[in-house]
Amino acid sequence: MRRDLIFTLAAMAALLAAGLYGYFGDEPFYLTLAAKAAIFGLAGAGLNIALGYGGLVSLGHAAFFGIGGYAAGILASHARNYEPLMTWPVELAGTTSAPVIWIVAMLAAGLFSLPMGLLSLRTGGVYFIMITLAFAQMLYYFAVSWPAYGGEDGLSFYVRNELGGLQTMNPWIWFLVCYAILAVVLVLIAILTRSRFGLALTMARENPLRLANLGIGPKRVLLTAFVISAILTGLAGALYADLNRFVSPAMLSWHMSGEIMVFVILGGVGRLGGPVAGACVFILLEQVLGGFTEYWQFLLGLALIIIVLMGSGGLAGLFDRSGAKKGAAHG
Amino acid sequence: MSVALFFEQLLNGLQFGVMLFLMAAGLTLVFGVMGLINLAHGSLYMIGAFACASVVAATGSFTLGLVASFVAAAFAGVIIEALVLRRLYRRDHLDQVIVTFALILVFTEGTRWLFGSYPLYLDIPTPLQGTVHLPGGIDYPLFRLMIILVGLLVAVLLFLAVNRTRLGVRIRAGEADREMIAALGVDISKLYMIVFALGAALAGFAGALVGSVQSVQVGMGEPVLILGFVVIVIGGIGSIGGALIAAILVGITDTMGRVFLPMAFAAFTDPASANATGSALASMLIYILMALVLVFRPSGLFGEKA
């Protein structure tokens, strides 16, 4: 537990350092990258609840990421064009208020995850992977073929959404907003995993039969975890759309699902700060390898294969072992 | 809606379904025997298509191209099995997913590196160009008809191989009890390699056939891979017969939906919105089908109870 906390604080400190470097070095590009890392970290933290704590290998989290993104994009574009979102049965206007958008994004992702989770949890194991992937893909094709919000071309909105009186277009402010949200969510996840529910979730992963014998239905626990996980990833999607001021079906594509999973794996599955560390490393790799070749994903793929085959448990695993060695030397 | 159009689309759906079967068969065999979920199966499909395109460009022989697709995909399959996947059989699904996802990145970007991002087009050999008159006044492209026949032939051969040969006995035994057949003296790692190569070859062959109807391009395997998963979920993992029926069901549902749903909507709304609604709904149709199957038979139409 303590190592987990230290690791999380280290990852968050590193991310903050990157932001500070961007701010004081007057490098808005680094600030945008740091904000992107915070958002990806948040998306990964969401997936980690299902994947790490609940053992649910979901290859469909791009669905929630994209739903969050589209919630932001659709609400903002309606507000800016002064078109009501719907006129029947009640007239609903769009909005550019970020908190409202975040809540709508989380609600929408949560609502979609409920039937998706219910259906996917009817089976388990490898079926679960394929079914979550398929549902996300369904949404992807829907977004591509539905012309109202840009279809394949996506949807642009030119100004970031409003949050109080903050200058959200300022990269430093926007980084701080994303960072703060990430920090709050990590605290909430820490509380959640230590709660009664968190313990039940761990047992639902490790020994569902035993949990059932204690009078708690494992399916319900897992479904709850899946929905919470979707809600957080949806929030990350809304932030990501605002970061780019653009949403497109690419946010729903299964490459996105794979990438969110990569953040978790690189950082450490089931570790609080894992996804944050993983997202930072991913973006670092993207920048460094991308400097060598435009085919940097080729090298990323090779690196991933080696990392997973070595079975290191991600950065968090490396951190633990280096700590264990030091501990042995001191002891 | 004319009857001819209906039958033409039915044949298109059948052709699509048969190709999906070639993909799904490999996926389901590999999962059934080795317990491995292989996302990189779509890459093997792509490799087959590119091998075929390259060989046809170099030699001008379509037959050689098809042979090359088979051989190249099997060869690539054997290499990734021996170098990477073999280490994953005992790992959990998460490791398998992430490593095979990484393999996709390697293959996709590697192919882009070698061939560029532009699609290649394969010329259908002259004797197979043109159309045939089918009863009912349908003119159907000969090449597509051939694909259906070849696909069904492969399905029959595969069915016979799994159910009537010594190798098939071993494959089925491997699905039932891995440790036991190892104890009975079957070289399990050789069996795994054969199964993997077989699945890979089928995927590559499908890639070459579909590539010659559509186009050969980077990333072509991924949509088909996901449809392959849908087929397996509907048919039930490990069941070749289930995969065949589910593949044809998915192929026909998808093809017919894309053509006839916009038409159906046009009957009661204006053409533009009918087209939008119809095609959006059509793109979701097979997933809705999958959801329905899951509600009533969670382990697929022909799957054993989990």
Side-chain angles (χ1 to χ4, degrees):
Chain A
M1 271 319 173
R2 206 164 145 257
R3 299 212 61 82
D4 202 27
L5 186 67
I6 297 173
F7 178 72
T8 308
L9 289 176
M12 288 300 279
L15 181 56
L16 187 62
L20 287 171
Y21 174 75
Y23 179 61
F24 287 108
D26 200 22
E27 301 253 25
F29 177 65
Y30 286 109
L31 273 174
T32 307
L33 283 185
K36 194 171 156 186
I39 293 168
F40 280 174
L42 178 60
L47 175 63
N48 201 18
I49 293 180
L51 181 73
Y53 300 111
L56 297 171
V57 185
S58 160
L59 198 47
H61 263 55
F64 313 127
F65 196 65
I67 286 176
Y70 269 96
I74 290 172
L75 285 174
S77 74
H78 273 283
R80 297 223 161 86
N81 301 332
Y82 301 103
E83 286 167 13
L85 204 56
M86 57 173 177
T87 48
W88 187 88
V90 282
E91 183 160 323
L92 267 184
T95 177
T96 54
S97 157
V100 176
I101 285 176
W102 295 341
I103 290 169
V104 173
M106 291 194 284
L107 275 178
L111 281 178
F112 187 76
S113 71
L114 197 60
M116 180 167 157
L118 263 176
L119 281 169
S120 311
L121 282 169
R122 285 180 67 84
T123 62
V126 66
Y127 273 104
F128 188 85
I129 303 172
M130 297 182 192
I131 293 162
T132 48
L133 173 62
F135 277 121
Q137 202 64 11
M138 170 177 94
L139 218 55
Y140 170 78
Y141 283 119
F142 180 75
V144 166
S145 58
W146 184 250
Y149 296 108
E152 214 167 342
D153 301 327
L155 182 65
S156 300
F157 46 106
Y158 297 98
V159 187
R160 274 191 200 130
N161 291 309
E162 291 150 16
L163 181 64
L166 292 177
Q167 292 279 332
T168 48
M169 281 306 285
N170 177 331
W172 169 240
I173 303 278
W174 186 249
F175 164 71
L176 286 181
V177 168
C178 297
Y179 189 83
I181 292 177
L182 174 64
V184 170
V185 166
L186 288 186
V187 170
L188 290 178
I189 293 177
I191 295 171
L192 184 79
T193 49
R194 282 159 183 71
S195 69
R196 208 179 107 88
F197 171 77
L199 298 176
L201 182 59
T202 306
M203 204 191 267
R205 181 190 72 212
E206 299 286 336
N207 195 343
L209 205 60
R210 187 153 172 211
L211 186 66
N213 283 334
L214 288 175
I216 304 177
K219 286 254 159 96
R220 280 177 60 183
V221 175
L222 290 174
L223 182 64
T224 312
F226 190 71
V227 172
I228 294 174
S229 153
I231 287 173
L232 293 179
T233 304
L235 176 62
L239 292 173
Y240 191 64
D242 243 353
L243 176 75
N244 300 320
R245 285 157 290 144
F246 176 64
V247 277
S248 75
M251 275 180 81
L252 291 161
S253 78
W254 77 291
H255 268 270
M256 194 70 234
S257 296
E259 276 180 21
I260 299 175
M261 198 180 261
V262 169
F263 308 149
V264 181
I265 307 269
L266 275 180
V269 179
R271 300 294 296 262
L272 182 61
V276 180
C280 291
V281 168
F282 183 86
I283 286 174
L284 205 66
L285 280 176
E286 181 181 30
Q287 294 306 315
V288 174
L289 297 178
F292 292 133
T293 162
E294 62 174 302
Y295 307 106
W296 68 278
Q297 294 210 334
F298 181 83
L299 302 173
L300 174 74
L302 289 182
L304 269 176
I305 293 172
I306 293 166
I307 290 171
V308 177
L309 286 185
M310 289 195 322
S312 62
L315 288 170
L318 281 177
F319 175 77
D320 288 355
R321 261 170 286 148
S322 71
K325 258 184 230 150
K326 263 186 223 146
H330 285 294
Chain B
M1 169 173 61
S2 69
V3 178
L5 177 66
F6 180 82
F7 279 106
E8 196 182 326
Q9 293 307 327
L10 197 65
L11 284 174
N12 280 344
L14 188 61
Q15 180 239 308
F16 185 35
V18 166
M19 289 299 104
L20 281 180
F21 168 71
L22 293 185
M23 275 295 279
L27 278 174
T28 202
L29 271 180
V30 166
F31 184 76
V33 178
M34 286 99 113
L36 175 84
I37 172 164
N38 178 22
L39 298 181
H41 203 64
S43 298
L44 299 166
Y45 175 90
M46 178 182 74
I47 287 171
F50 273 95
C52 179
S54 313
V55 168
V56 170
T59 65
S61 159
F62 191 74
T63 318
L64 276 183
L66 282 184
V67 173
S69 74
F70 213 80
V71 173
F75 187 66
V78 167
I79 288 182
I80 59 173
E81 200 272 342
L83 287 181
V84 180
L85 300 179
R86 184 169 287 182
R87 295 159 215 274
L88 289 173
Y89 297 145
R90 290 181 182 281
R91 300 282 195 91
D92 58 16
H93 292 319
L94 179 60
D95 285 355
Q96 300 177 351
V97 164
I98 213 76
V99 168
T100 52
F101 179 74
L103 278 174
I104 293 181
L105 296 181
V106 169
F107 279 121
T108 305
E109 291 305 310
T111 313
R112 208 193 299 281
W113 212 334
L114 288 175
F115 291 90
S117 296
Y118 296 103
L120 307 175
Y121 293 94
L122 270 167
D123 285 329
I124 297 170
T126 330
L128 293 172
Q129 283 172 358
T131 56
V132 272
H133 298 287
L134 295 178
I138 309 164
D139 287 331
Y140 198 74
L142 178 62
F143 189 71
R144 281 174 180 266
L145 202 62
M146 191 206 81
I147 288 183
I148 297 176
L149 294 178
V150 169
L152 288 176
L153 182 70
V154 173
V156 170
L157 287 178
L158 192 62
F159 197 74
L160 290 177
V162 170
N163 288 301
R164 294 277 186 277
T165 64
R166 193 154 196 90
L167 176 67
V169 171
R170 287 181 177 165
I171 289 176
R172 280 179 292 137
E175 286 182 344
D177 193 335
R178 253 172 272 179
E179 270 101 42
M180 186 52 93
I181 67 159
L184 287 174
V186 173
D187 182 349
I188 197 96
S189 61
K190 202 168 114 196
L191 177 70
Y192 283 0
M193 191 172 268
I194 292 171
V195 169
F196 200 85
L198 178 66
L202 291 176
F205 187 61
L209 288 177
V210 175
S212 34
V213 183
Q214 295 164 357
S215 66
V216 176
Q217 58 183 321
V218 172
M220 63 188 285
E222 293 167 18
V224 189
L225 168 82
I226 293 164
L227 290 179
F229 282 156
V230 173
V231 165
I232 292 181
V233 169
I234 291 178
I237 289 180
S239 159
I240 297 273
L244 180 62
I245 290 169
I248 291 173
L249 195 64
V250 167
I252 290 178
T253 310
D254 190 61
T255 310
M256 302 291 252
R258 277 173 208 285
V259 176
F260 295 113
L261 268 181
M263 282 191 191
F265 276 98
F268 45 91
T269 51
D270 63 289
S273 73
N275 202 15
T277 322
S279 50
L281 192 62
S283 67
M284 298 166 68
L285 207 56
I286 49 168
Y287 303 101
I288 297 169
L289 179 73
M290 181 187 79
L292 283 177
V293 169
L294 279 176
V295 170
F296 294 106
R297 306 222 26 164
S299 48
L301 293 177
F302 298 88
E304 283 153 34
K305 278 234 159 80

